Amino acid sequence: KKKKKKTSERVTRMTALLPPLRLVGATLLREGELQKRSLVIEGGLITKGPLPEVDMSGYLILPGIIDLHGDAFERHIAPRPSAPFPIEAGLRSTDREAASHGITTAWLAQCWSWEGGMRGPDFAEAVMAAMETYRPRALTDLRVQIRCETHMPETRERLIAAVKRY
């Protein structure tokens, strides 16, 4: 049985590209107001301590955006119905687009439907498996939101098993 990773472990993994540092000179949105102060980031978390400084004068530092329902993922894996891309290529493109727009957490809406194809259970499980493989390299915290059709009760056990597995 796989052990679930703690949120702090996921955050640390996602920000592995950033060394510990202190951002100085910027205007930060903290505690509901814009403030001129430094911000220390280490291991993917806001912390304290003297670290190498990066001058951010003239920049705003704002909290990341959380996208709670992303349908854009579909166009990254199939820009046209007759031109599907590999799921991992779609995840990579979605991830980069989200990061470039300030989105730090994105829920990718995926159907679990009687329609089949890219909206069927087989494809949904393939997306979940691809997400598990891609996640260690992700720039953002990508997650899958399963939209299960109410008239598919015969797939209930399969859906629950897939969610638990991934």
Side-chain angles (χ1 to χ4, degrees), residues 44-160:
L45 301 172
I46 296 173
T47 185
K48 295 180 180 179
L51 291 171
E53 293 185 358
V54 175
D55 184 8
M56 300 293 291
S57 296
Y59 288 92
L60 289 173
I61 298 177
L62 306 172
I65 299 166
I66 299 172
D67 181 353
L68 294 175
H69 181 89
D71 283 324
F73 174 60
E74 282 186 0
R75 81 176 152 76
H76 286 291
I77 54 176
R80 292 186 318 273
S82 62
F85 290 168
I87 295 170
E88 186 165 324
L91 290 172
R92 189 170 47 252
S93 181
T94 300
D95 184 34
R96 289 176 181 171
E97 183 177 272
S100 71
H101 290 102
I103 295 170
T104 55
T105 302
W107 290 86
L108 310 181
Q110 175 60 50
C111 285
W112 184 280
S113 172
W114 52 268
E115 296 174 77
M118 287 179 46
R119 294 178 178 245
D122 292 339
F123 194 80
E125 286 182 299
V127 168
M128 288 186 260
M131 180 74 80
E132 184 176 53
T133 301
Y134 179 72
R135 189 169 277 128
R137 298 184 311 279
L139 301 171
T140 61
D141 186 6
L142 296 177
R143 299 169 182 234
V144 177
Q145 172 197 15
I146 298 295
R147 299 184 304 208
C148 181
E149 299 286 344
T150 58
H151 42 282
M152 291 199 48
E154 72 281 0
T155 66
R156 178 177 170 248
E157 295 303 320
R158 180 180 174 191
L159 173 60
I160 290 169

Side-chain angles (χ1 to χ4, degrees), residues 12-43:
T12 300
R13 184 180 64 242
M14 290 181 321
T15 57
L17 301 175
L18 288 177
L21 49 85
R22 177 189 281 304
L23 305 176
V24 297
T27 301
L28 283 73
L29 179 60
R30 288 231 11 207
E31 300 167 6
E33 60 184 49
L34 291 172
Q35 304 174 9
K36 270 285 211 204
R37 59 189 292 188
S38 64
L39 179 71
V40 178
I41 301 172
E42 185 171 17

